């Protein structure tokens, strides 16, 4: 069982319960981007922000634009192989603080509901940046009251950039040809 977060231009995800991908009644189970990050009664009269506003790469892009840092510095699909310079790391760390706060809350919430074995963070970011984000998320999780919660293992995903395409291809194949939807998901 796991809660899966995919960090890209937007934030997506999924839920796997006992080896079964949970699609939900409308197919939107695991649409983690819509997860609220605050109580509506404490949002000063406005709507509380959602995970998508804090942890999507759209936000990193806005931060990077202020410093004239190209997004290709951070993404697997456009990276030149050059080391990140100080300006790029500064932009990433600014975004990472906010994203990690939001992802920690989302991870604890998801793990509480399905008693997940693991929380996986994957996406289009370079692997060292995903590792850095995961470290920040784990530090943020430690700041919560975790009484009554058995923390899952936190790890970086192994599929990365291709996860969306692979997932999109597997779902219809699974629905059409696998009598038991656990079959496709077994390693």
């Amino acid at each position: 069982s796991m809660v899966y977060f995919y960090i890209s231009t937007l934030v997506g995800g999924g839920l796997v319960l006992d080896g079964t991908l949970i699609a939900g009644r409308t197919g939107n189970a695991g649409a983690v981007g819509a997860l609220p990050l605050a109580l509506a009664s404490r949002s000063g009269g406005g709507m509380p922000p959602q995970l998508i506003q804090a942890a999507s790469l759209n936000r990193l892009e806005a931060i990077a634009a202020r410093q004239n840092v190209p997004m290709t510095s951070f993404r697997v699909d456009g990276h030149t192989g050059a080391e990140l310079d100080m300006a790029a790391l500064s932009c990433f760390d600014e975004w990472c603080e906010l994203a990690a706060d939001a992802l920690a809350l989302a991870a604890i919430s998801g793990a509480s509901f399905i008693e997940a074995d693991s929380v996986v963070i994957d996406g289009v970011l370079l692997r060292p940046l995903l590792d850095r984000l995961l470290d920040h998320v784990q530090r943020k999780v430690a700041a919560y009251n975790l009484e009554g919660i058995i923390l899952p293992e936190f790890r970086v995903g192994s599929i990365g950039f291709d996860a969306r395409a692979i997932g999109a291809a597997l779902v219809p194949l699974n629905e059409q040809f696998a009598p038991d939807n656990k079959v496709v998901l077994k390693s």
Side-chain angles (χ1 to χ4, degrees), residues 59-122:
R59 185 169 197 100
L60 175 58
E61 186 172 19
I63 293 167
R66 289 194 320 255
Q67 303 288 332
N68 292 320
V69 174
M71 281 302 289
T72 54
S73 300
F74 311 106
R75 295 174 58 108
V76 176
D77 54 331
H79 191 63
T80 62
E83 289 290 318
L84 290 181
D85 61 21
M86 291 304 289
L89 278 175
S90 174
C91 292
F92 182 80
D93 286 342
E94 181 181 336
W95 169 81
C96 192
E97 278 300 308
L98 181 62
D101 263 340
L103 287 166
L105 175 63
I108 292 168
S109 299
S112 297
F113 275 100
I114 69 164
E115 195 174 8
D117 299 319
S118 60
V119 170
V120 179
I121 298 177
D122 207 350

Side-chain angles (χ1 to χ4, degrees), residues 19 166 169-171 173-175 177-178 180-187:
I166 292 170
L170 280 177
V171 170
L173 286 172
N174 192 34
E175 289 174 354
F177 301 110
D180 176 5
N181 63 358
K182 290 182 184 179
V183 171
V184 175
L185 298 174
K186 289 183 180 176
S187 52

